[in-house]
Amino acid sequence: MDVAALSMQASALKTSDMLGIAVFKKTLETLEVSGESMIKMMEQSVNPHLGQNIDIRV
């Protein structure tokens, strides 16, 4: 067995795994931001005029 070739394959697999994890983390971050935006839009659709008017009595 060629130790150098095995070492290179292991290194390539590790790099590939690290890249996959980095892409997955970025995808999760994007989904979290999208989810937060969706929640804000849903809250506004339930109470679209909330905070736009102030009732004042003297």
Side-chain angles (χ1 to χ4, degrees), residues 4-57:
L6 288 174
S7 176
M8 289 176 55
Q9 283 181 337
S11 178
L13 286 174
K14 183 178 178 182
T15 302
S16 176
D17 287 346
M18 290 174 60
L19 178 63
I21 291 170
V23 169
F24 184 68
K25 284 182 180 181
K26 188 63 177 172
T27 302
L28 283 177
E29 290 174 7
T30 303
L31 288 173
E32 286 178 357
V33 170
S34 297
E36 290 171 1
S37 297
M38 182 68 73
I39 290 171
K40 287 179 184 179
M41 288 190 324
M42 290 173 66
E43 288 173 348
Q44 290 176 353
S45 70
V46 173
N47 298 314
H49 303 293
L50 185 65
Q52 293 181 358
N53 298 323
I54 300 174
D55 294 332
I56 299 176
R57 291 186 184 178

